[in-house]
Amino acid sequence: MTNWNLFLVVDAEPVELSGGPDRIVLLEGRRLLSLPDNGYPLLLAWAAGPRRVVRTPVPIHPDQEIVDAFVNSYLVEAGVPPRPRGFAWYLDLPDGVEPPDVWRAAGGDGARGSSVDLHRVRGAMERGMTALYGGELT
C-alpha cells in the first residue's frame, strides 16, 4: 500500500454502541472500533489496510498542528506516510472480534517506557492483523 487515499471516506455520522477507551460505533451497517488520532492506533489502521478501515470527515481541532506533528512523526518513523488531517478513523470489528482481540493481535501488550523500533512494531501489527482477519488486508 502506498497511500492513505485508498481508505474509504464515509460521509455519515457514526452511532455509538459503547463508550470508553475502546469506543465501538455502527456506521452504515458496519461495527467499528474508533481509533484515536494518535500514532499507535493510526499505525494499526495502516497495518489493517483500506479493506478494514474507514474514515469520516471531522472538524479540525484548534491544536491540530501539534497533533499532526506528533502523529505524523510517529508514522514516518515507522515507514508510513503522514496521514491526512480532518478525519476520524475506524477499524472493522466482524462478528466475534472485540477490541481486546484487536489490541492483542497488534501486540499492544509491550513493556511501557522501553525503547521501540517502530518498523518492527509495524511488521508485528501487519502480521497480527493478517492473522486476526485472515489473508491479505490491502
Side-chain angles (χ1 to χ4, degrees):
M1 177 182 357
T2 59
N3 161 339
W4 288 101
N5 291 332
L6 298 174
F7 290 79
L8 179 66
V9 176
V10 177
D11 194 11
E13 195 65 33
V15 175
E16 190 162 319
L17 298 177
S18 72
D22 287 332
R23 188 173 148 241
I24 298 173
V25 301
L26 190 63
L27 184 61
E28 293 193 340
R30 293 171 79 172
R31 188 171 153 265
L32 303 161
L33 172 62
S34 176
L35 299 173
D37 194 16
N38 67 48
Y40 189 84
L42 290 178
L43 182 57
L44 175 63
W46 183 265
R51 289 181 54 211
R52 296 289 179 193
V53 176
V54 297
R55 56 191 168 138
T56 61
V58 294
I60 301 295
H61 188 275
D63 294 326
Q64 195 64 49
E65 286 187 36
I66 296 167
V67 173
D68 289 346
F70 282 105
V71 172
N72 289 332
S73 68
Y74 188 96
L75 294 172
V76 168
E77 188 176 333
V80 173
R83 57 85 178 96
R85 68 168 39 177
F87 294 99
W89 300 84
Y90 304 92
L91 175 70
D92 268 329
L93 287 175
D95 289 340
V97 175
E98 297 299 328
D101 302 322
V102 171
W103 299 121
R104 210 173 8 264
D109 55 357
R112 297 201 186 267
S114 60
S115 175
V116 192
D117 175 344
L118 291 179
H119 285 276
R120 291 181 70 193
V121 170
R122 176 182 166 196
M125 281 182 171
E126 289 169 348
R127 289 187 299 279
M129 293 299 98
T130 299
L132 181 66
Y133 291 107
E136 197 64 33
L137 294 172
T138 55

